[in-house]
Amino acid sequence: MKKILFLTTAFLCGALMVQAADYELVWNEDFTDGALDTNVWNIEDNGNGGGNNELQYYCEKGVSIERDPQEGKHCLVLTAHKESYKGKGVTSGRVNSKQNTYFTYGKIEARIWFPKTANGLWPAFWMMGNNFDEVGWPRCGETDIIELGHSNGFRNDKQEFYFNGAMHVGSAWNTVWSEANAVTNPFSVEDGFHIISCEWTPTQIAMYVDKDEHPELPSYFLQNLEPNDDPNYNRKEVFGKPNFIIFNLAVGGNFPGIFDINKITALANGDKKMYIDWVRVYQRGDEGQTAHFSSESDEIEEADPNWEPVEAVKNVQAESVVTKQFVNGRLVIVRGENAYDVLGNKQ
């Protein structure tokens, strides 16, 4: 399977330890297996409005693996569908990797095709602290890598160019420190696939759109992570802990400022879909860096069916559950109770 193939290739020649500036690729999800890997992703099922008076009911029917209509790539697809369902007027999809795939520091990127948002759709790619179940929101910290669909965008007829990044933390819902920055981008981000990047280091968080194609553009969000004496607002402390990944397609609510499903013009002509081609995590051994990546199979699938693994790799194959972690800046593969380097040597 895709993430095990990553391990095998790394054992063979390190080919997937791809350099990205001074970063190395440590995890890749490309959704090519035909079904969502539920050892990595949790499909949310709730109609609580996300604390933002959103209109959708998130459920399994809003989450699928489909080919995109532009390139035919297998993608994670979140679909907003207008229908009556459990007291709501629309269904949609939201997935997260809480307690499955989480990490501290690195560069996280996703290649996403956002739906036409106006008026009323609110797609997002974001992270929250993996200690959410213990401390709740906002103590866990929230990093919104990108959000589209704010009322200011469609009010000014700039919805395809208008988006923001943000961060939130605090001791309670009504005492939240927030920092957000909205931009009017020079090109549309609702016209096909775009690569959204978040570079998270011990000292700052920076966000970019299509940095590979537009290196001249500055980050659309930049926040320094300074320490202070209040543990509830200490950005250095809160945003120096493991985070998990979230993708969602919200409908209505406080962000777009629409609270009536019949005023969601984006759904007037049928369903709207958010396509995620892939999501990747790169790391570089920063102090305090951690990583935990789950796999869907305990079988190794070789890239070359005639390849015979060396004895060290056979040792790794014999173990169960796979995770990847950084220890003192070095990538190790954990199977069962044992840890191995990328050549299969037991640590």
Side-chain angles (χ1 to χ4, degrees):
M1 313 309 279
K2 55 189 173 300
K3 289 174 281 298
I4 307 304
L5 183 59
F6 171 10
L7 283 177
T8 304
T9 309
F11 291 146
L12 288 171
C13 60
L16 278 181
M17 299 298 288
V18 178
Q19 291 292 332
D22 52 346
Y23 287 97
E24 290 184 330
L25 177 65
V26 296
W27 182 74
N28 173 58
E29 168 67 277
D30 57 15
F31 307 107
T32 57
D33 286 346
L36 191 67
D37 183 354
T38 54
N39 288 317
V40 174
W41 302 102
N42 306 302
I43 299 175
E44 299 197 24
D45 189 302
N46 68 75
N48 60 27
N52 305 296
N53 299 304
E54 299 159 25
L55 302 178
Q56 77 287 328
Y57 195 102
Y58 288 130
C59 57
E60 189 171 359
K61 67 168 67 178
V63 179
S64 59
I65 302 295
E66 303 176 21
R67 292 185 183 270
D68 78 88
Q70 187 178 72
E71 300 176 5
K73 299 283 190 69
H74 284 98
C75 297
L76 166 63
V77 180
L78 307 180
T79 301
H81 175 64
K82 191 174 179 181
E83 62 174 324
S84 295
Y85 186 82
K86 295 187 177 181
K88 297 287 185 174
V90 61
T91 55
S92 191
R94 171 166 154 165
V95 300
N96 70 70
S97 67
K98 180 164 62 79
Q99 304 300 332
N100 297 332
T101 294
Y102 47 89
F103 55 96
T104 310
Y105 305 136
K107 179 168 73 168
I108 176 174
E109 290 189 326
R111 187 171 186 258
I112 307 172
W113 184 351
F114 296 103
K116 300 291 185 181
T117 57
N119 292 358
L121 297 188
W122 181 6
F125 164 38
W126 50 303
M127 304 187 296
M128 283 205 297
N130 199 55
N131 61 344
F132 173 83
D133 290 341
E134 291 77 44
V135 303
W137 185 93
R139 289 179 184 270
C140 66
E142 173 183 335
T143 302
D144 301 315
I145 300 174
I146 191 168
E147 301 176 279
L148 287 77
H150 192 273
S151 57
N152 287 344
F154 58 78
R155 184 181 297 120
N156 298 317
D157 198 29
K158 295 290 185 180
Q159 60 268 27
E160 294 190 17
F161 308 87
Y162 190 83
F163 54 84
N164 73 274
M167 296 174 69
H168 311 280
V169 67
S171 59
W173 68 269
N174 58 348
T175 59
V176 177
W177 168 86
S178 296
E179 187 69 29
N181 188 59
V183 299
T184 300
N185 203 51
F187 54 87
S188 171
V189 291
E190 296 183 10
D191 61 350
F193 284 109
H194 295 273
I195 296 177
I196 311 302
S197 307
C198 175
E199 297 182 7
W200 174 24
T201 75
T203 58
Q204 69 176 27
I205 287 182
M207 303 168 188
Y208 303 87
V209 59
D210 290 335
K211 188 177 182 180
D212 56 333
E213 295 184 11
H214 298 278
E216 76 284 359
L217 292 180
S219 58
Y220 59 86
F221 180 93
L222 179 64
Q223 178 62 52
N224 293 328
L225 302 179
E226 302 107 348
N228 59 50
D229 295 332
D230 187 337
N232 296 315
Y233 297 92
N234 189 328
R235 294 190 288 275
K236 181 80 170 179
E237 173 73 16
V238 175
F239 296 104
K241 296 180 178 179
N243 271 228
F244 63 90
I245 304 163
I246 309 168
F247 293 104
N248 71 279
L249 178 54
V251 181
N254 299 345
F255 196 75
I258 301 175
F259 307 97
D260 181 345
I261 187 59
N262 295 312
K263 294 182 180 179
I264 304 294
T265 61
L267 297 177
N269 297 315
D271 297 350
K272 287 294 187 294
K273 296 177 180 287
M274 174 178 172
Y275 294 88
I276 298 98
D277 181 16
W278 48 254
V279 55
R280 296 170 180 166
V281 176
Y282 302 81
Q283 291 186 322
R284 61 184 185 183
D286 287 333
E287 183 178 357
Q289 175 180 290
T290 66
H292 179 281
F293 303 122
S294 299
S295 296
E296 70 176 345
S297 170
D298 59 7
E299 297 295 328
I300 288 187
E301 177 182 312
E302 290 82 20
D304 179 357
N306 298 316
W307 175 75
E308 180 65 19
V310 297
E311 192 64 31
V313 175
K314 289 180 180 179
N315 293 337
V316 179
Q317 288 177 320
E319 302 286 351
S320 58
V321 184
V322 179
T323 63
K324 311 176 193 71
Q325 302 177 23
F326 268 87
V327 177
N328 297 324
R330 297 177 62 247
L331 179 68
V332 298
I333 294 91
V334 179
R335 296 186 71 103
E337 297 180 353
N338 297 315
Y340 302 85
D341 65 19
V342 295
L343 297 177
N345 298 309
K346 192 171 180 179
Q347 301 297 291

